[in-house]
Amino acid sequence: QLQLVASGGGSVQSGGSLRLSCAVSGSTLDTWHIGWFRQAPGKEREGVAYITKSSGTTFYADSVKGRFTVSRSNAEKKAWLQMDNLKPEDTAVYYCTASRTVVAEWYWDAQYEHWGQGTLVTVSE
């Protein structure tokens, strides 16, 4: 079965940077689209970024566009989310997700088949 392990979260000040990693096992990565989602306490889950399984086409939420960058290496079976110029509103648990197909808008979370455990990002003023 596919396993995803997210790591790299932490606490930073506003304007700082973090790089989240998602390590995949149990399958070749080139069969899976990768999405990054986040959820803050009391808030709805939000799609952050998405990268297709082969072409590397990327999509971003408007709230993070220009600040976050998603990437992947199928050979290394890893995906990353580089987060720059972090803001307090970025505080959330971040999840890496995987889906064989994305048939709806990329930010519709229910279509993702596998989820990592999440990693906490805290951004202070």
Side-chain angles (χ1 to χ4, degrees):
Q1 59 181 3
L2 186 70
Q3 305 285 338
L4 302 98
V5 178
S7 62
S11 181
V12 299
Q13 294 183 340
S14 181
S17 297
L18 285 172
R19 185 174 176 86
L20 306 184
S21 297
C22 179
V24 176
S25 63
S27 177
T28 56
L29 188 56
D30 61 5
T31 62
W32 300 92
H33 305 287
I34 297 295
W36 287 92
F37 288 78
R38 67 186 182 187
Q39 188 166 27
K43 304 292 185 180
E44 294 184 349
R45 184 180 292 157
E46 175 189 22
V48 177
Y50 167 76
I51 184 166
T52 59
K53 61 185 179 181
S54 183
S55 69
T57 303
T58 59
F59 299 87
Y60 299 92
D62 288 342
S63 60
V64 307
K65 192 173 297 182
R67 300 187 298 119
F68 290 11
T69 304
V70 62
S71 60
R72 67 188 292 162
S73 171
N74 290 340
E76 299 178 48
K77 300 178 71 174
K78 291 181 179 178
W80 299 271
L81 183 67
Q82 177 68 40
M83 304 184 295
D84 297 319
N85 192 22
L86 283 161
K87 303 176 180 180
E89 52 263 43
D90 296 319
T91 296
V93 175
Y94 284 72
Y95 300 89
C96 63
T97 66
S99 181
R100 289 190 180 275
T101 59
V102 176
V103 298
E105 297 294 336
W106 68 267
Y107 48 79
W108 183 49
D109 57 354
Q111 67 190 318
Y112 289 85
E113 303 171 59
H114 299 279
W115 292 72
Q117 85 288 356
T119 185
L120 177 63
V121 172
T122 302
V123 185
S124 60
E125 295 282 357

